[in-house]
Amino acid sequence: MKDILIINFKRHGDIFQMGRLISSLKYKHPDSNISILINKEFETSAQTLGGIKQIFTLDRKRIVSYKKNKIYSDGFALDEFGKTIKEINKGWNLVINYSNDRISTSLTSYLAKEYKGIKFDTHCNVNYSNEWSIVFNDILTQQKYTPINFNDTYHKMCCLKENNSFNSLNVSNEYNKVCHQNFLKMRKSESKNNPKIIGLQLTASNLSKMIERSELIKLINELNNRVDTIPLLLIAPTSEERNFANKINSELDKKAVTIEAPFTALPSVLINCDILVTPDTAIKHVADILDVPLIELSMGPSPFLKQGTVNPESIIMTPRLKDRDFTYTASVHTEKQVRSNEVIKANDIIYGLEKYYLGFTDAKLENKEISVYRPENDEVGTFYKNIEGRFDAEIEISRYLSRDFILRKVERKSLSSHGIIESNLNFTSSWLEQTQGELIKSSRHVLAAIKTALAKDSQKLNEKLLEMSRYIASASDYCSLPFLFYKAKISNIDNPTIEEIENTLIGLKNDLQIQFEQVKEVSNLIRENRSKIRTESAKDFIHESRSE
């Protein structure tokens, strides 16, 4: 596979995360020429990625300016867009639709014979390269507690196993040398005993993703006062971030070192940090590629289940999931999102550093309103496991079974249990009873629709399909999964015949059978565990009786 184009019209963080896919592509196809198409305003982040032959850009801001400005004809916008089309109109062996938005999908349709992701056919229906592209576009976008993260889905969609051995970042030797020398001086200048340098990313794209200002100051003061840590404030070279850092420093008991790092120098800075503490920002994806451990503070609309750190040495701190609102809008934040950044305190971050990185094994988490997650690897890829703090059993088992369902449906494989099912037997049993009842209702809707399809009664079939659509809208995340697959397939058939609807409904019925099997397996496991607990309790009782 010689010439590959990746179309990614997302932001800085997604561009850095794309580096992991590029690394895996270069490992599988070492002789390939990989080019990317991005929005021009994110070119600086793309320039830090290695393994790229050419960066093509779309000047979105200029096109929008031409389109909105009444002085100019719309032809100016079309001409600007045409320049990009002319540049990229080459004989690509593969086009990867990374962002899967309307523009990238239209371009993929125009450019590609071989593609990964989605494209339009001549009737503007969506064509999927495989079922993993359905998962990415139509399943994960509809799940509140996403069962599979985007990075793994991209790799599955492109039929790749992740391999991060290729250096997917352009790291400057000159920057490395300067940073290494400066960091050595910093460690020696402080009267501390082999201190860890803790990089602190101060800002995020919106306030609801950042911890409260007073807690940030408290955190930096604590790190300054400790003998085993040195805080390092990381900012981008902009006047806004520079002013923010100056104001923070003016309120500290002792000023902290501040480093302005453009994207080109950022890898060299992070390599020399021992640990990074960051909200949901692009910087965490750079740290992941460099294997720098981090504490990710997930607040506001930050979708850590979709795009959290994938480093098994990192942890994620979040307000309990039931209290999170992951809805994203550019300018409006819900009350839950605004309040979520009040939950994680400086003491919680200090605890995370002590327990997981500084060797304080007896440290205890005092805050009962947060959860701590850690990335673990399983048959799909990265799974975010709740390792401490608030545990919402209903959410966790739903997430696990959703993940298992997708793997069974798409690849005919099943997952290990992650210990989730055994964590709370009573709650799990209650959830299973509710879910089984919901699945029975699902089956009734599907069987009724199949019956009318077999009878060739188009009017009644439309009525049954409408009833089914209403039911899907109120179904739980887990129980809605088979219907989302069905909807993705049926909505992209032009004027489907009764036979096509019937076949798709039979596929839906088979998917529901997978869920019934899952529930049965979990119920059996619960019975086995309860029997084991009773046996062990009986043995303990007999042993204590004999001792008396």
Side-chain angles (χ1 to χ4, degrees), residues 210-212 215-216 295-299 316-320 324 339-349 367 369-371:
M210 298 161 55
I211 65 170
E212 288 185 305
E215 293 298 321
L216 177 61
I295 296 178
E296 179 180 344
L297 308 177
S298 182
M299 300 167 287
I316 299 166
M317 288 186 163
T318 171
R320 61 176 296 193
R324 295 288 305 273
R339 287 187 174 180
S340 72
N341 73 341
E342 301 172 1
V343 177
I344 299 176
K345 305 295 185 183
N347 288 342
D348 303 324
I349 300 168
N367 192 338
E369 297 305 314
I370 68 171
S371 303

Side-chain angles (χ1 to χ4, degrees), residues 5-16 18 35-43 45-46 49 55-61 63-64 80-85 87-88 95-111 118 120 136 154 307 328:
L5 176 68
I6 304 175
I7 304 177
N8 183 357
F9 289 137
K10 295 190 176 184
R11 300 177 66 82
H12 290 299
D14 301 278
I15 289 173
F16 284 125
M18 181 176 62
S35 298
I36 63 174
L37 172 61
I38 60 169
N39 283 319
K40 188 172 181 62
E41 63 257 44
F42 304 119
E43 190 173 9
S45 53
L49 296 179
I55 299 173
F56 298 100
T57 62
L58 181 70
D59 197 337
R60 180 179 62 171
K61 288 185 176 180
I63 292 171
V64 171
E80 186 65 36
F81 187 69
K83 289 177 187 176
T84 301
I85 300 295
E87 276 190 282
I88 63 173
V95 175
I96 298 174
N97 185 357
Y98 193 94
S99 49
N100 287 301
D101 54 60
R102 193 166 186 82
I103 296 175
S104 67
T105 304
S106 297
L107 288 173
T108 302
S109 313
Y110 176 70
L111 296 169
I118 60 174
F120 295 126
F136 183 79
Y154 283 128
Q307 292 179 293
Y328 177 79

Side-chain angles (χ1 to χ4, degrees), residues 184-207:
L184 277 178
K185 289 178 184 176
M186 197 188 311
R187 292 179 198 271
K188 290 177 181 178
S189 65
E190 301 276 350
S191 55
K192 300 189 176 187
N193 180 25
N194 191 27
K196 301 283 187 186
I197 293 182
I198 314 298
L200 299 172
Q201 171 65 26
L202 296 187
T203 60
S205 56
N206 63 63
L207 289 173

